[in-house]
Amino acid sequence: MQELLLEKGEKMEQESTGSGSSKFSSLQWVFKVKNMAWEAYKSKPFSHWVLLFLSSFGMLVAFPASSLLSRVYFANGGTSKWIISWVAVAGWPIPALILFPMYLFHNTSPTPLSIQLFCSYVFLGFLSAADNLMYAYAYAYLPASTAALLASSSLAFSALFGFWIVNNKLNASVINAIVIITAAMTIIALDSDSDRYPYVSNSQYIWGFVWDILGSALHGLIFALSEWVFIKFLGRRSFHVVLEQQVMVSFCAFLFTTIGVIINKDFQGMASEAKTFKGGVTAYNLVLIWSVITFQLGVLGATGILFLASTVMAGVLNAVRVPVTSIAAVILLNDPMNGFKILSLVITFWGFASYIYGTSTGSKLS
């Protein structure tokens, strides 16, 4: 009996020692992370972290707000897909207002505009105009949470087009991410009738689904072609060069979209549309104005993250943006949220995590 009690006492002592060591190792890990964060903070000026915070805020708040405003426009009486695609690029002067002072006060000069570079900007502008129009059709027929989840497939298309056009590496984690995100889109497709609005027909919902996927594919192509333009014609990456590309591409997309709005005579219909809009003319104007501002702030935030931090952090924030948009749509717009959509959201987040891991390990190996 005494031997049995002694054995139990020894086991209890070993367990307590083991738990104490695990607690100690956990504390060591916490202190290590804290010291690494402090060293990283001291290695950069305070202005760097302010800009990084503002850029992150732009990606996590402005982009979801822009998506929700598109849905608000259609849910409250707006009907023009051209107008919503137009407001996405009508804010092109905003990055231009940031770019011009850089020329004046930071001793930078504009990038020489060759024929090839000009044609590249025009072509990317045309693709961007088409991409915005596809997303406008998607938000006209789909709930914002569903549209945001489907739009996350642009990551898979970006990886594939990047592999084909600029020879970006595809490792096992990136391929796994593509398969996982595709599975998440399939889950939404299989449960397509559960979140369809009563006033949206079955064919309109299907077309919204199709336009969202096509827009995501085109978005991935634009991303890869933009990278190709940097490699082929620019050969350098700096903040003002990326702003130049953003201004030029947005301006060209603005011209193409404006032509479409004029041909479709949607400018003439804005006055009557505003009168029938739920909330009146003031609400109509505010939705469009804030759509212009939030979209450009989101793009500026993504640009800032790429150059203040890394593409991995941009991928992390882009991953977080999907559930932020979906949850905000459920809370603010009463979007339907069922088990299939939650499962798709979790799987999508898993796919993003796999992609981020694959790209970060790939950059370390290279």
Side-chain angles (χ1 to χ4, degrees):
M1 186 67 178
Q2 287 181 340
E3 291 178 357
L4 183 61
L5 289 173
L6 286 173
E7 287 180 3
K8 287 185 178 180
E10 288 176 358
K11 288 182 179 178
M12 290 176 65
E13 186 176 355
Q14 288 176 358
E15 289 176 358
S16 63
T17 305
S19 62
S21 62
S22 64
K23 289 180 181 179
F24 183 71
S25 62
S26 300
L27 287 174
Q28 278 185 323
W29 182 83
V30 170
F31 281 118
K32 184 178 179 180
V33 171
K34 182 180 177 181
N35 290 332
M36 289 174 61
W38 178 246
E39 291 297 327
Y41 173 77
K42 291 193 298 182
S43 65
K44 301 287 185 181
F46 181 72
S47 59
H48 170 89
W49 300 109
V50 173
L51 291 173
L52 188 63
F53 171 79
L54 293 175
S55 299
S56 303
F57 183 83
M59 281 198 70
L60 294 179
V61 177
F63 264 145
S66 176
S67 300
L68 295 181
L69 286 169
S70 296
R71 184 59 231 161
V72 168
Y73 169 80
F74 289 112
N76 289 276
T79 58
S80 175
K81 287 79 176 176
W82 278 105
I83 291 296
I84 280 297
S85 58
W86 181 78
V87 299
V89 288
W92 68 267
I94 295 176
L97 291 175
I98 300 174
L99 180 62
F100 291 141
M102 296 180 69
Y103 294 148
L104 296 175
F105 303 110
H106 290 83
N107 296 322
T108 57
S109 57
T111 302
L113 191 61
S114 63
I115 296 296
Q116 295 90 340
L117 185 59
F118 175 76
C119 292
S120 299
Y121 287 155
V122 172
F123 183 62
L124 287 172
F126 175 77
L127 293 182
S128 297
D131 189 43
N132 293 330
L133 186 60
M134 290 178 184
Y135 278 134
Y137 272 93
Y139 277 94
Y141 301 137
L142 301 176
S145 55
T146 303
L149 281 169
L150 292 174
S152 66
S153 61
S154 63
L155 179 68
F157 290 112
S158 297
L160 290 174
F161 284 122
F163 173 73
W164 290 329
I165 296 174
V166 291
N167 296 321
N168 287 339
K169 293 181 180 179
L170 279 181
N171 55 29
S173 295
V174 174
I175 295 173
N176 181 56
I178 295 172
V179 174
I180 290 172
I181 293 173
T182 303
M185 302 306 102
T186 305
I187 290 174
I188 296 179
L190 293 174
D191 192 46
S192 58
D193 288 333
S194 64
D195 64 348
R196 180 166 56 86
Y197 291 122
Y199 55 85
V200 175
S201 66
N202 190 49
S203 62
Q204 286 177 329
Y205 185 93
I206 293 173
W207 274 113
F209 197 100
V210 171
W211 285 123
D212 207 340
I213 296 296
L214 289 176
S216 300
L218 188 54
H219 189 78
L221 176 62
I222 292 170
F223 188 84
L225 288 175
S226 299
E227 189 173 355
W228 180 81
V229 168
F230 273 108
I231 297 171
K232 189 75 174 178
F233 300 120
L234 297 173
R236 61 185 178 132
R237 292 195 181 208
S238 64
F239 191 70
H240 88 274
V241 171
V242 174
L243 279 179
E244 286 175 343
Q245 188 191 52
Q246 182 183 339
V247 171
M248 292 299 296
V249 172
S250 296
F251 177 69
C252 293
F254 172 76
L255 292 179
F256 283 118
T257 309
T258 302
I259 293 172
V261 175
I262 293 173
I263 293 174
N264 206 45
K265 298 181 180 180
D266 282 1
F267 282 138
Q268 294 92 319
M270 289 180 70
S272 60
E273 189 176 68
K275 291 178 182 178
T276 59
F277 193 79
K278 186 178 179 181
V281 177
T282 302
Y284 180 83
N285 292 331
L286 285 175
V287 167
L288 295 185
I289 290 171
W290 279 109
S291 295
V292 171
I293 295 172
T294 53
F295 187 86
Q296 289 299 323
L297 289 180
V299 174
L300 282 173
T303 304
I305 292 295
L306 286 172
F307 287 90
L308 293 170
S310 64
T311 54
V312 175
M313 183 173 179
V316 171
L317 294 179
N318 199 46
V320 175
R321 181 166 67 91
V322 173
V324 168
T325 306
S326 299
I327 294 170
V330 172
I331 296 173
L332 300 176
L333 305 181
N334 296 319
D335 262 20
M337 178 66 74
N338 54 31
F340 281 100
K341 194 180 289 187
I342 294 173
L343 177 61
S344 177
L345 182 64
V346 173
I347 293 175
T348 301
F349 202 76
W350 175 20
F352 271 116
S354 179
Y355 177 83
I356 293 164
Y357 176 79
T359 53
S360 61
T361 53
S363 61
K364 287 178 183 178
L365 290 172
S366 60

